[in-house]
Amino acid sequence: MKVTFPHMGHIYIPLRAFFTALGVEVVVPPPVSRETLSLGTRYAPEFACLPLKVNVGNFLEAARKGADTVVMAGGVGPCRFGYYAQVEQEILRDLGVNLRMVVLEPPQGHWRELWQGLRDITGGAGLREIWRAGRLAWRKLTVLDELEHEVHRARAQEGERGATTRAWQRILDQVDEAGSVPEVEEAARRGKVLLKALPRREGEAPLRIGIVGEIYTVLEPAVNLELERVLGEMGAIVERSIYLSDWVKTNLVLHSLHLRDDREEYRLAAPYLGHFVGGHGLESISWTVRYARAGFDGVIQLAPLTCMPEIVAESILPKVSRDVGIPVLTFMLDEHASEVGVRTRLEAFCDLLCARRRQKEGGTAFAGVSRH
């Protein structure tokens, strides 16, 4: 069996570690590229959301490299992600691509189904082997998320453009190559030293911008056209509302054990939205309020075009922006989004935020708080 899975940020690193530790051969798809997107848009339904199209491109590219099995997450709720796997399987079947699809549904108390799915992929691995593989994968995931916070801060003040991005790629490679938890810890230590040694430039305090929205477009840099890197190189510190390790802990572990606590999210969103709308729509509202109260300069919402939960949030965010006094910029992304277009809007947004900060520091009210 040669297993593959879709890209989403650096998730390929813990997934490769998990399956390799269980003796499963892994075929990681090539990084998401224009070719990936071209394949996906050619064969996926026109009005499917962007992540599904990229997934299809990933699977076709992985099949060319010899993959024969796809491991895909399932889902529940109003978001269309819940039937991605079934649609993708039909597309592959129509194309005559012989890829077996194994769907791992969120357990939500039904651990036996998840357990059977994992044993099916791993050829009957025992609990101890799965636990050890999961521990290694989890530590890689948490280390990368911890270091990515530092990368976002370092990039905004880097003395040499691109130095932080190169250091981050080196860190990703070192964590990927680590074969045990102690080796992951050593890679993390070296990563922190590497980031700390980067030359910094002095100057005004960087802008602070919060990123909210749909998880795939927030986490996959090739889909959001490397928005975090571009903002960092413009001198802005980026904070995300979603990190993969937090999502796994909240949605797969705590939710399944009935220990998930969303009361703060619902409390912050309550003046504008009183119920779950699927995906991360409610969190986009609550995190915008949270960022405003924490003194952030602005918020950017990311979502695939036609994403229903984020369309709901987008319709509410202008009022949130006015009430809590924070500018919000929305990007609805599809295969036609261009790097030049995104960069131009980001430059204008950062100019707005700088002007707003100067006026606040000068003691005058900012007259142009608005949504772009």
Side-chain angles (χ1 to χ4, degrees):
M1 182 184 294
K2 296 182 179 179
V3 166
T4 191
F5 36 75
H7 274 296
M8 186 171 74
H10 50 249
I11 194 173
Y12 71 93
I13 293 177
L15 286 180
R16 170 154 53 192
F18 179 74
F19 289 117
T20 301
L22 291 168
V24 178
E25 187 172 352
V26 174
V27 178
V28 177
V32 178
S33 64
R34 297 308 298 181
E35 171 64 13
T36 311
L37 195 52
S38 175
L39 284 170
T41 53
R42 189 181 309 160
Y43 299 117
E46 181 182 359
F47 291 104
C49 44
L50 187 57
L52 185 143
K53 297 174 182 175
V54 179
N55 287 177
V56 171
N58 287 155
F59 300 154
L60 292 173
E61 291 184 314
R64 291 174 179 171
K65 295 178 65 179
D68 56 29
T69 303
V70 171
V71 178
M72 184 68 192
V76 295
C79 175
R80 290 181 288 181
F81 177 73
Y83 58 80
Y84 266 26
Q86 288 72 24
V87 174
E88 290 162 356
Q89 191 164 30
E90 290 299 318
I91 293 170
L92 294 172
R93 186 175 294 143
D94 289 347
L95 291 172
V97 178
N98 187 26
L99 278 175
R100 177 184 173 223
M101 184 82 69
V102 178
V103 183
L104 300 179
E105 298 287 351
Q108 298 195 331
H110 303 288
W111 290 96
R112 183 181 293 275
E113 293 177 12
L114 178 62
W115 173 249
Q116 289 298 334
L118 289 175
R119 284 178 61 82
D120 184 26
I121 298 165
T122 60
L127 181 59
R128 179 175 296 183
E129 289 80 12
I130 291 177
W131 169 260
R132 285 177 178 167
R135 181 167 172 261
L136 174 62
W138 175 251
R139 191 58 189 131
K140 288 194 178 195
L141 180 60
T142 52
V143 157
L144 290 174
D145 281 353
E146 290 163 11
L147 289 171
E148 199 165 21
H149 281 283
E150 297 186 30
V151 166
H152 290 156
R153 285 191 287 272
R155 187 181 281 129
Q157 295 177 298
E158 63 185 4
E160 176 191 348
R161 176 168 288 196
T164 309
T165 301
R166 291 192 294 275
W168 177 230
Q169 186 56 56
R170 192 171 161 192
I171 291 168
L172 289 172
D173 292 341
Q174 289 176 346
V175 173
D176 192 21
E177 291 166 4
S180 65
V181 172
E183 288 180 12
V184 175
E185 303 295 353
E186 175 59 19
R189 187 194 64 77
R190 291 201 302 267
K192 289 178 182 176
V193 171
L194 184 61
L195 292 174
K196 196 172 181 180
L198 291 173
R200 306 286 177 96
R201 60 180 165 76
E202 302 297 328
E204 294 181 357
L207 293 172
R208 296 168 69 207
I209 298 177
I211 306 293
V212 302
E214 185 270 339
I215 184 169
Y216 188 85
T217 46
V218 170
L219 294 184
E220 176 49 54
V223 165
N224 62 41
L225 303 173
E226 304 220 18
L227 178 137
E228 291 177 349
R229 178 185 60 78
V230 173
L231 281 172
E233 291 177 354
M234 288 179 183
I237 294 177
V238 173
E239 288 283 346
R240 276 191 220 139
S241 60
I242 306 169
Y243 282 83
L244 195 53
S245 57
D246 294 332
W247 185 90
V248 170
K249 184 169 63 178
T250 302
N251 292 275
L252 298 186
V253 180
L254 297 180
H255 187 73
S256 298
L257 298 173
H258 305 288
L259 295 174
R260 178 174 175 168
D261 185 357
D262 290 331
R263 284 177 292 183
E264 184 65 6
E265 302 304 327
Y266 278 90
R267 188 185 69 78
L268 291 172
Y272 311 98
L273 183 62
H275 56 86
F276 179 66
V277 294
H280 303 275
L282 187 137
E283 286 90 342
S284 291
I285 303 299
S286 63
W287 273 93
T288 298
V289 175
R290 198 190 301 260
Y291 284 134
R293 292 181 180 178
F296 276 64
D297 296 284
V299 168
I300 293 177
Q301 180 200 21
L302 296 175
L305 188 68
T306 75
C307 174
M308 185 275 289
E310 294 301 328
I311 288 174
V312 173
E314 183 195 17
S315 69
I316 296 169
L317 282 173
K319 177 167 176 53
V320 180
S321 172
R322 288 192 297 271
D323 288 356
V324 300
I326 189 166
V328 177
L329 174 65
T330 294
F331 285 98
M332 288 290 177
L333 298 163
D334 67 3
E335 60 270 28
H336 303 296
S338 73
E339 293 180 18
V340 173
V342 169
R343 175 179 285 275
T344 301
R345 294 183 70 194
L346 290 178
E347 287 173 347
F349 190 59
C350 286
D351 286 345
L352 168 75
L353 300 184
C354 287
R356 181 172 180 265
R357 179 185 280 188
R358 284 195 295 271
Q359 285 192 285
K360 287 174 72 175
E361 290 173 350
T364 58
F366 182 69
V369 176
S370 63
R371 173 178 168 276
H372 282 229

